[in-house]
Amino acid sequence: MFITVKYGDGKSEIFNPNCLNIILLTNIRDRCQCDIEDLVELSDETGNVMHLLNNPTDYGKQYLAERAAFVLLKAERDGDGEDEHYTYQPLLEGLDKNKEFLARLNPKPVLPKQSHESNRNKEIKSRNEELSESPSPTSKDLRRRGVQANAPTGGAAKSKPQQTNALKRGSSKVQLGRR
């Protein structure tokens, strides 16, 4: 298994991708006469980045098609920490002027659209603010909505008056029977 890496002024080298990505990229960097500080990456000939730098402990053969040709890229870090992003520059002459290739290498970041959920949360917050500003509902308002103003709530509250009534009814019979 081998791949071809194109770089410089029409130069190319053959590499074996059956190794860790970090080792493959170090070997490519050394053999293609890049500076030791340079971070290198590969893309296919249309500009699709292979992301070997992001997966240093995986094998190159998982990402690279056998006998395919790839373009050598110089990678520069844009961010720090968790949100690490790379900007790529092709090291094959002629591609640095190809707008379509460059657009694929470094796509413009798309701002995330607000999700339906966040819009819904804003609506709820707005309604809550309106309700907190308005006066408390009167018993007439509550009746219109189908809620009784002084109605007992919960199961225990409803059964208590019934028990009291039953005791009152029963207590008079019991009292009469005892005398």
Side-chain angles (χ1 to χ4, degrees), residues 122-151:
K122 285 182 182 179
E123 288 176 21
I124 291 171
K125 185 177 178 182
S126 169
R127 287 182 188 163
N128 287 341
E129 288 173 359
E130 289 174 9
L131 290 175
S132 66
E133 293 171 0
S134 67
S136 60
T138 63
S139 59
K140 186 177 181 181
D141 293 333
L142 291 173
R143 274 184 267 136
R144 225 182 286 142
R145 293 182 193 161
V147 178
Q148 292 179 357
N150 294 325

Side-chain angles (χ1 to χ4, degrees), residues 150-164:
N150 294 325
T153 57
K158 288 182 180 178
S159 62
K160 191 172 185 178
Q162 292 170 353
Q163 290 174 353
T164 307

